[in-house]
Amino acid sequence: DTGVSQDPRHKITKRGQNVTFRCDPISEHNRLYWYRQTLGQGPEFLTYFQNEAQLEKSRLLSDRFSAERPKGSFSTLEIQRTEQGDSAMYLCASIPTRGLPNTEAFFGQGTRLTVV
Amino acid sequence: QKEVEQNSGPLSVPEGAIASLNCTYSDRVSQSFFWYRQYSGKSPELIMSIYSNGDKEDGRFTAQLNKASQYVSLLIRDSQPSDSATYLCAGRGGGTSYGKLTFGQGTILTVHP
C-alpha cells in the first residue's frame, strides 16, 4: 500500500495518560500535515512539516502537544496529560512541495482518540 | 468571518434529484478549492478540485467557482443513497500556505429512496 498510513486506527486512553500517533506519508511527498477533527466539525489544521522542519503550528497546538518528523519521513504526534477535550479524529495528510494549484493532498485513515 | 464557511444545514433530497452544496471563503484561502466527501468514522475523500472561475464537471458532480463573489459550490446530479455523507469544502492559499487546507464545518447530505 503506497498511500498515507496512520497508526493506531483507534486509541482509548485514560485522562492524564500520554499518547503517541504515527503517520507514514507517501514516500516522495515533502510536506506532511496534521489535522484534528471533532464531532460535527471540519478538520482543523494543527501543524505541518517540510521534510524534517516544522514550519507552522496552530494556536490549537497547546504545550501538551508535540510533533516530530526526525528524518523527513514518518511523523509522530504526542499528546501529554490527555484531557477529555482531546477526544477527536487525528488526520495526517501529505502532498508534494511543488505542484499545481489543484494538486491533491492525500489523507490517511485517521486515528480516533477517545479519552475516558 | 471564518475563512471557509458552509452555511447550509443538513440537506435532504430524494433519490434522483440534484443536491446543491455551497461554500463561501475569505481572501486568505483563495487559490484553490476542494470538495471532500466523508462517511461517518472515515477520513475525507476528494471528490473535485477547482481553481479557475466557472464550472468544472466530472461525471455526476459539477463544481462552480465565482471568485468575484468568493463563492464555491458543488452540484450532485441524479443523487443516490450512496451519496449520503458529510461534504466538506476546503480552501487552500498559495506561497508558503501551499498544501494547508482550511475546511468548512461540513454539510450533511441525506439522499432518501
Side-chain angles (χ1 to χ4, degrees):
Chain A
D1 187 350
T2 56
V4 179
S5 176
Q6 290 188 248
D7 184 70
R9 295 285 307 280
H10 303 276
K11 178 72 177 178
I12 300 174
T13 191
K14 291 184 178 179
R15 189 174 53 184
Q17 298 294 305
N18 299 344
V19 294
T20 300
F21 310 141
R22 176 177 171 130
C23 172
D24 286 87
I26 293 172
S27 59
E28 59 268 27
H29 286 182
N30 305 99
R31 289 200 174 186
L32 184 151
Y33 294 78
W34 285 99
Y35 295 87
R36 179 174 70 186
Q37 186 176 23
T38 54
L39 203 61
Q41 299 297 315
E44 295 173 293
F45 169 78
L46 291 178
T47 188
Y48 90 91
F49 292 84
Q50 167 123 349
N51 300 314
E52 65 276 7
Q54 187 174 19
L55 296 186
E56 185 178 349
K57 292 193 289 187
S58 163
R59 283 174 290 180
L60 293 174
L61 216 64
S62 75
D63 292 344
R64 297 184 297 105
F65 287 71
S66 62
E68 294 183 337
R69 194 182 182 197
K71 297 182 180 179
S73 56
F74 73 90
S75 176
T76 58
L77 178 68
E78 181 184 16
I79 309 174
Q80 296 182 326
R81 305 181 302 281
T82 52
E83 301 172 357
Q84 287 188 320
D86 297 331
S87 296
M89 172 83 88
Y90 290 83
L91 293 161
C92 175
S94 70
I95 192 168
T97 301
R98 290 188 178 82
L100 298 174
N102 61 342
T103 296
E104 178 181 355
F106 289 83
F107 280 87
Q109 292 178 305
T111 294
R112 167 74 64 188
L113 172 67
T114 302
V115 181
V116 297
Chain B
Q1 181 194 4
K2 290 185 179 179
E3 292 181 323
V4 176
E5 283 202 73
Q6 293 180 251
N7 297 320
S8 46
L11 180 64
S12 180
V13 300
E15 184 175 356
I18 296 175
S20 176
L21 305 161
N22 307 306
C23 178
T24 56
Y25 63 89
S26 72
D27 290 337
R28 290 187 61 187
V29 292
S30 58
Q31 187 187 58
S32 47
F33 302 91
F34 303 81
W35 282 99
Y36 288 86
R37 177 174 60 200
Q38 187 174 34
Y39 294 113
S40 181
K42 304 295 185 183
S43 64
E45 169 193 10
L46 182 67
I47 298 174
M48 290 193 70
S49 62
I50 187 167
Y51 61 95
S52 298
N53 255 339
D55 296 359
K56 180 180 177 183
E57 187 174 319
D58 183 0
R60 297 186 296 112
F61 300 96
T62 299
Q64 300 173 316
L65 175 59
N66 182 326
K67 291 190 175 183
S69 301
Q70 295 186 303
Y71 176 92
V72 59
S73 65
L74 179 71
L75 300 178
I76 306 174
R77 289 181 299 281
D78 188 24
S79 296
Q80 301 296 310
S82 58
D83 294 327
S84 298
T86 296
Y87 287 79
L88 298 163
C89 171
R92 194 165 81 190
T96 55
S97 294
Y98 175 78
K100 174 184 171 183
L101 293 165
T102 301
F103 287 87
Q105 67 269 40
T107 298
I108 299 172
L109 172 66
T110 303
V111 181
H112 52 87

